Amino acid sequence: MVEKRSPISVGECVRKVMEYSSKGKTEMVPIELAYGRFLAEDLIADHNVPSFDRSPYDGFAVRAEDTERANSNNPLSFKVVGEIGAGAVFKGQVRAFEAVRIMTGAQIPEGCNAVIMLELVRESSVGNQKYIEIKRQLKIGDNISFQGEDVKKGTILAKKGTYINPGISALLATFGYSKVPVAKKPVVGVIATGSELLEVSEQLTPGKIRNSNSYMILSQIERAGGSVKYFGKLMDDFDKCFLAVQNALSEVDVLITTGGVSVGDYDYLPAIYDKLGATILFNKVAMRPGSVTTVAQLDGKLLFGLSGNPSACYVGFELFVRPFIRKYLFSDKPHLNRESAYLGEDFVKPNPFTRFIRGKFSFNNGQLIVTPSGFNKSGAVSSLAKADSLIVLPGGTRGYQKGMIVDVLLLEDKQGSEWPWDNIVPSYKS
Amino acid sequence: MVEKRSPISVGECVRKVMEYSSKGKTEMVPIELAYGRFLAEDLIADHNVPSFDRSPYDGFAVRAEDTERANSNNPLSFKVVGEIGAGAVFKGQVRAFEAVRIMTGAQIPEGCNAVIMLELVRESSVGNQKYIEIKRQLKIGDNISFQGEDVKKGTILAKKGTYINPGISALLATFGYSKVPVAKKPVVGVIATGSELLEVSEQLTPGKIRNSNSYMILSQIERAGGSVKYFGKLMDDFDKCFLAVQNALSEVDVLITTGGVSVGDYDYLPAIYDKLGATILFNKVAMRPGSVTTVAQLDGKLLFGLSGNPSACYVGFELFVRPFIRKYLFSDKPHLNRESAYLGEDFVKPNPFTRFIRGKFSFNNGQLIVTPSGFNKSGAVSSLAKADSLIVLPGGTRGYQKGMIVDVLLLEDKQGSEWPWDNIVPSYKS
């Protein structure tokens, strides 16, 4: 007797998952380990940058008003009354026709309001006293980096949940974060099921394939920002699978299994969810590939049952597991970023279901082009190698021609979107 | 006496760096640690995928010719002569009007040439003997995933130097790479110089700033794929800096310093290169920011002298150090990927030098839009936080208006370009 399942639209399925998703915890890491993590707090400027008026060049600080009549026919002489190395502060007061030698980044001395670049003056000495000659008029503020011109105190420079890139690292250092509050990575457990699976190190034998989904998912977890706990692969054996799932659950924030979620005789996951007392959120998604994707929850903890087919497994992860991880990492945009792109080649196959075709994008003179990245079947693995996007073809539509605008979900994007699932026609035949 | 330096075009400077760049070494890592590394060898399929004809669905394998007259008015009965779980192989021979129960992924039994999905048959029993009824005609090949349809043996699936993404991880597993040959990361040393620099943990004091460049560069090194060796920050003191550079050199594949490369009184790097016996490749680049970027080589090992100004330092790294790292990681496209984009806002300031404006891109209905990411000065740090690209404005050009097409270099891109520096006008005034 084959169980009859009713397909639910992708958006509705994602919404069910997000009801059981929540923001995670904060941990402190040394700044040198913060790259690639996600901020657990807003990064707020606690001082102006620059924090003082400073010189952007090597040169001489003067009073602009003293240069008013300077030109190439009328060089004016200034007495050099001091020198400020970077990091030093000039203690005196600069008066009329006096100049202070100033290094890049040093604080403008009291009384000065302009800097002339080193290359533009002639230096001379009378005994131990140095002088410079200035041949051009300076305006007030010339060559001064003003306090706060880069960052005003109190500015929110990056929101909680932001990916820490090199620029954010620079700001964290600027504002004294020797330890950085980052989102703790959720621990994502992975169990592969399937009697056909060989270990990667094993020789191929008739009827068997190597376990590729596990290593694919481990990488997807890392790309999304999670931490991996891999429990290995299991034969299709109810008792062993049940125990493995039960034991794994207590060690992880969320558990992924691959395989065993369909309606075949060896698909034990539905029975395992049942015996655990877990509630099924959905077990049939109105999409291709990955329609068998099943998600259950037990005491609020999610169990993702992904397909055993590589492409289906891949898509299921990105649509359902990724937003769980990103929300845990404090993102307000946990879903894949959805953009429009021009289809790079004909894709004529019609299908009643919403499809997620593995794609590769490129640019052509300012236009985003996306092209299917290879062999397009649920079980395909080759097309995943070049995939950096999923082309979304709404259900019920006919084939697409080259040059048409399609929706794409960007896989390598670090920012995501709040909710990409509106206006994708959830059409399917039940 | 101010040293007179002659600016050299960016392309020419990069070319000089690449003359001293070379591909690195290979190391083996377990497949679970391969994500995010770069392949040290071409990934070649050593077998077909699938490696045997298999069923993409749960169902029954039959001979298509036996279904020729089946239709809803004429259901035909087939005797179920066996069952194949995933990973198992059917030993017998299937004859006329016989069927074999087959699971997703299992090998098609000898004699069969089509599969009918489980949902489409009616099962029945006579004693212990099971039968199915088929009500439609099947064609030869229906619901069979054929040997090699996904990947043909001998195909190069990913070239040496390719970034290992989740799809590549799946392929590595499929082809038995329990250990993966990846490019060894180059060890990139970092020394910050400048008496104005405080440690990140120190309180701000007048005239001083926290050392942000080091942490920015550590992140840039990681983003590019290198391994960081951080030697800390130093005061502007010739002897200390000389010793630090000399000692660091022996421990790294390449050394970066920040600050001290200009022509000021405390800019000791030129003298340090001289005392080391290093040859200067260039010390003035016809660009803004980062014109003071200096690169020297000693016994073939490169010393990158980046500006102490954050934006200038950032740009210098991406243009000069990144391609060194990526080439070491076996990439044939070590440089930043250059694309065209529409300028998202006016940028009216003209400049005789080629400029690299920190930008942020977005998409608008299939168009790539790039917008300056913030305050645009050599010393700025805030604009780096949102930067994912550099807008290239060739030297000598006037301001740009919103909507004009400009060149952009993509910073988060994993693929790069072979040579982005042609057709960028190297105009400057010497």
Side-chain angles (χ1 to χ4, degrees):
Chain A
M1 194 55 210
V2 181
E3 180 199 354
K4 188 82 183 163
R5 297 177 177 179
S6 298
I8 301 176
S9 75
V10 176
E12 202 177 329
C13 291
V14 176
R15 194 167 278 127
K16 284 170 186 280
V17 166
M18 297 314 280
E19 280 170 20
Y20 292 92
S21 298
S22 59
K23 295 187 174 175
K25 300 195 180 89
T26 299
E27 66 182 357
M28 302 300 287
V29 298
I31 186 171
E32 57 269 30
L33 300 180
Y35 171 71
R37 301 295 294 269
F38 294 81
L39 286 176
E41 294 173 8
D42 290 349
L43 169 52
I44 301 172
D46 71 350
H47 63 77
N48 289 311
V49 179
S51 60
F52 47 85
D53 292 353
R54 71 186 179 199
S55 175
Y57 300 115
D58 274 317
F60 289 88
V62 295
R63 302 167 3 138
E65 52 269 38
D66 297 336
T67 67
E68 197 182 341
R69 290 188 214 155
N71 60 50
S72 51
N73 295 322
N74 184 38
L76 297 179
S77 182
F78 287 72
K79 183 178 178 186
V80 178
V81 297
E83 174 174 316
I84 325 169
V89 175
F90 184 72
K91 296 285 200 282
Q93 176 78 20
V94 180
R95 282 166 297 209
F97 296 96
E98 291 183 346
V100 176
R101 174 82 174 90
I102 191 166
M103 308 303 158
T104 307
Q107 184 167 336
I108 305 295
E110 200 81 31
C112 294
N113 54 22
V115 169
I116 185 162
M117 289 170 75
L118 193 59
E119 297 90 316
L120 298 178
V121 303
R122 228 189 94 218
E123 296 177 77
S124 60
S125 294
V126 176
N128 283 333
Q129 182 58 54
K130 286 184 178 165
Y131 293 89
I132 56 167
E133 246 176 31
I134 296 183
K135 290 183 177 179
R136 61 174 68 189
Q137 189 188 350
L138 298 174
K139 290 190 300 294
I140 290 175
D142 272 2
N143 295 321
I144 290 180
S145 293
F146 290 102
Q147 186 181 59
E149 69 173 17
D150 187 3
V151 179
K152 293 256 175 315
K153 181 175 173 175
T155 307
I156 297 178
L157 295 159
K159 302 275 281 179
K160 183 172 169 170
T162 299
Y163 177 81
I164 299 176
N165 67 17
I168 302 276
S169 295
L171 284 171
L172 287 166
T174 298
F175 293 104
Y177 288 85
S178 56
K179 304 227 167 184
V180 181
V182 299
K184 201 164 178 300
K185 297 180 179 190
V187 178
V188 184
V190 177
I191 295 175
T193 73
S195 299
E196 75 278 24
L197 299 179
L198 298 169
E199 295 290 354
V200 174
S201 57
E202 287 184 276
Q203 282 300 309
L204 277 192
T205 52
K208 306 249 183 187
I209 57 169
R210 294 199 185 95
N211 169 21
S212 60
N213 283 345
S214 293
Y215 299 96
M216 179 179 82
I217 293 174
L218 303 193
S219 299
Q220 287 177 288
I221 292 168
E222 285 193 52
R223 177 165 69 184
S227 175
V228 170
K229 192 161 180 85
Y230 179 46
F231 295 94
K233 69 170 185 67
L234 296 171
M235 302 286 278
D236 293 317
D237 175 295
F238 179 84
D239 293 327
K240 283 191 181 136
C241 287
F242 174 79
L243 280 175
V245 167
Q246 193 181 41
N247 291 335
L249 260 180
S250 63
E251 300 181 38
V252 299
D253 294 306
V254 60
L255 182 63
I256 296 172
T257 55
T258 67
V261 283
S262 193
V263 292
D265 302 357
Y266 300 94
D267 288 318
Y268 293 127
L269 263 299
I272 289 170
Y273 297 140
D274 192 46
K275 186 169 174 184
L276 284 168
T279 313
I280 304 285
L281 305 187
F282 55 85
N283 61 13
K284 186 154 189 154
V285 190
M287 70 175 193
R288 292 285 186 275
S291 65
V292 298
T293 307
T294 300
V295 180
Q297 68 86 13
L298 179 62
D299 302 330
K301 193 177 277 188
L302 289 172
L303 296 95
F304 288 94
L306 303 182
S307 168
N309 272 326
S311 284
C313 183
Y314 187 94
V315 168
F317 180 94
E318 296 297 334
L319 301 193
F320 302 111
V321 188
R322 181 192 193 277
F324 173 89
I325 293 175
R326 284 287 165 92
K327 183 165 177 188
Y328 195 100
L329 298 171
F330 298 109
S331 176
D332 290 328
K333 296 179 169 180
H335 305 282
L336 290 169
N337 195 3
R338 173 181 163 192
E339 299 291 352
S340 299
Y342 294 88
L343 196 60
E345 60 183 49
D346 290 351
F347 192 87
V348 295
K349 213 174 139 197
N351 196 306
F353 290 91
T354 299
R355 282 171 294 173
F356 296 90
I357 314 297
R358 282 68 64 207
K360 172 155 181 53
F361 64 80
S362 58
F363 299 101
N364 182 22
N365 206 29
Q367 288 190 337
L368 180 62
I369 314 286
V370 69
T371 304
S373 61
F375 186 65
N376 176 42
K377 265 196 186 177
S378 168
V381 67
S382 61
S383 56
L384 300 173
K386 293 195 168 66
D388 52 21
S389 47
L390 299 173
I391 307 172
V392 188
L393 302 182
T397 48
R398 306 220 155 263
Y400 284 75
Q401 267 77 46
K402 179 176 172 174
M404 288 174 81
I405 288 259
V406 291
D407 284 313
V408 286
L409 302 170
L410 305 182
L411 297 168
E412 296 285 348
D413 173 271
K414 297 295 195 309
Q415 296 176 74
S417 74
E418 267 181 61
W419 186 254
W421 300 116
D422 290 336
N423 308 318
I424 289 182
V425 186
S427 69
Y428 50 87
K429 303 212 168 69
S430 62
Chain B
M1 191 56 210
V2 181
E3 179 199 353
K4 188 82 183 161
R5 296 177 178 178
S6 299
I8 300 177
S9 75
V10 176
E12 202 177 325
C13 290
V14 176
R15 193 166 279 126
K16 284 171 187 280
V17 166
M18 297 314 280
E19 280 170 20
Y20 291 92
S21 298
S22 59
K23 295 188 173 173
K25 299 195 180 89
T26 299
E27 65 181 358
M28 303 300 286
V29 298
I31 185 169
E32 57 269 28
L33 301 180
Y35 171 71
R37 302 293 296 269
F38 293 80
L39 287 176
E41 292 173 9
D42 290 350
L43 169 52
I44 300 172
D46 71 351
H47 63 75
N48 290 311
V49 180
S51 61
F52 48 84
D53 292 354
R54 72 186 179 199
S55 176
Y57 299 115
D58 274 318
F60 289 88
V62 295
R63 304 170 357 143
E65 52 270 37
D66 297 337
T67 67
E68 196 181 340
R69 289 187 214 154
N71 61 52
S72 50
N73 295 321
N74 185 38
L76 297 179
S77 181
F78 287 71
K79 184 178 176 185
V80 179
V81 297
E83 175 174 316
I84 325 168
V89 176
F90 184 72
K91 295 286 201 281
Q93 176 78 21
V94 179
R95 282 167 297 208
F97 295 96
E98 291 183 347
V100 176
R101 175 83 175 88
I102 192 166
M103 309 303 159
T104 306
Q107 184 166 337
I108 305 295
E110 199 80 32
C112 294
N113 54 22
V115 169
I116 185 161
M117 289 169 76
L118 193 57
E119 296 91 318
L120 299 177
V121 303
R122 227 189 95 218
E123 296 177 76
S124 61
S125 294
V126 176
N128 284 332
Q129 183 56 53
K130 286 184 177 164
Y131 293 88
I132 57 167
E133 245 176 32
I134 295 182
K135 290 183 177 180
R136 63 175 66 188
Q137 190 188 346
L138 300 174
K139 291 191 300 294
I140 291 175
D142 272 0
N143 295 320
I144 290 180
S145 293
F146 291 101
Q147 185 180 61
E149 69 173 18
D150 188 3
V151 180
K152 293 256 175 314
K153 181 176 172 175
T155 307
I156 297 178
L157 295 159
K159 302 274 282 181
K160 181 172 169 169
T162 299
Y163 177 81
I164 299 175
N165 67 16
I168 302 275
S169 295
L171 285 171
L172 287 165
T174 299
F175 294 103
Y177 289 85
S178 55
K179 304 227 167 183
V180 181
V182 299
K184 201 165 180 298
K185 297 180 178 189
V187 177
V188 184
V190 177
I191 296 174
T193 73
S195 299
E196 76 278 25
L197 300 179
L198 297 169
E199 294 291 354
V200 173
S201 57
E202 288 183 275
Q203 283 299 310
L204 277 192
T205 52
K208 305 247 181 188
I209 58 170
R210 294 201 185 93
N211 170 19
S212 61
N213 284 345
S214 292
Y215 299 96
M216 178 180 82
I217 293 175
L218 302 194
S219 298
Q220 288 178 288
I221 292 168
E222 284 192 55
R223 177 165 71 182
S227 176
V228 170
K229 194 164 179 83
Y230 179 46
F231 295 94
K233 70 170 186 66
L234 295 170
M235 303 286 279
D236 293 317
D237 175 294
F238 179 85
D239 292 327
K240 283 193 181 134
C241 288
F242 174 78
L243 280 175
V245 168
Q246 192 182 42
N247 291 335
L249 260 181
S250 63
E251 299 181 40
V252 299
D253 293 307
V254 60
L255 182 64
I256 297 172
T257 54
T258 66
V261 283
S262 193
V263 292
D265 303 356
Y266 300 94
D267 289 318
Y268 291 127
L269 263 299
I272 289 170
Y273 298 141
D274 191 46
K275 185 169 174 185
L276 283 169
T279 314
I280 304 286
L281 305 187
F282 55 86
N283 60 13
K284 185 152 190 156
V285 190
M287 70 175 191
R288 291 285 185 277
S291 65
V292 298
T293 308
T294 300
V295 180
Q297 66 87 13
L298 180 62
D299 302 329
K301 194 176 279 187
L302 288 172
L303 296 95
F304 289 94
L306 303 183
S307 168
N309 272 326
S311 284
C313 183
Y314 188 92
V315 169
F317 180 94
E318 296 297 334
L319 301 192
F320 302 112
V321 187
R322 182 193 193 275
F324 174 89
I325 292 175
R326 284 287 166 93
K327 184 166 177 189
Y328 195 99
L329 297 172
F330 297 111
S331 176
D332 290 329
K333 296 177 168 181
H335 306 281
L336 290 168
N337 196 3
R338 174 181 162 193
E339 300 291 352
S340 299
Y342 294 88
L343 196 59
E345 61 184 49
D346 290 351
F347 192 88
V348 295
K349 211 175 140 197
N351 195 306
F353 290 90
T354 298
R355 282 171 294 170
F356 296 91
I357 313 296
R358 282 69 62 207
K360 173 154 180 53
F361 64 80
S362 59
F363 299 101
N364 181 21
N365 205 30
Q367 289 190 337
L368 180 63
I369 315 285
V370 70
T371 304
S373 60
F375 186 65
N376 176 42
K377 265 197 186 177
S378 169
V381 67
S382 61
S383 57
L384 300 173
K386 293 195 169 65
D388 53 22
S389 47
L390 299 173
I391 307 172
V392 188
L393 302 181
T397 48
R398 305 220 155 264
Y400 283 76
Q401 267 77 46
K402 180 176 172 174
M404 287 175 82
I405 287 260
V406 291
D407 285 312
V408 286
L409 302 170
L410 305 181
L411 297 168
E412 296 286 348
D413 173 272
K414 297 295 196 308
Q415 295 175 75
S417 74
E418 268 179 61
W419 187 253
W421 300 115
D422 291 335
N423 308 318
I424 290 182
V425 187
S427 69
Y428 50 86
K429 301 210 168 69
S430 62

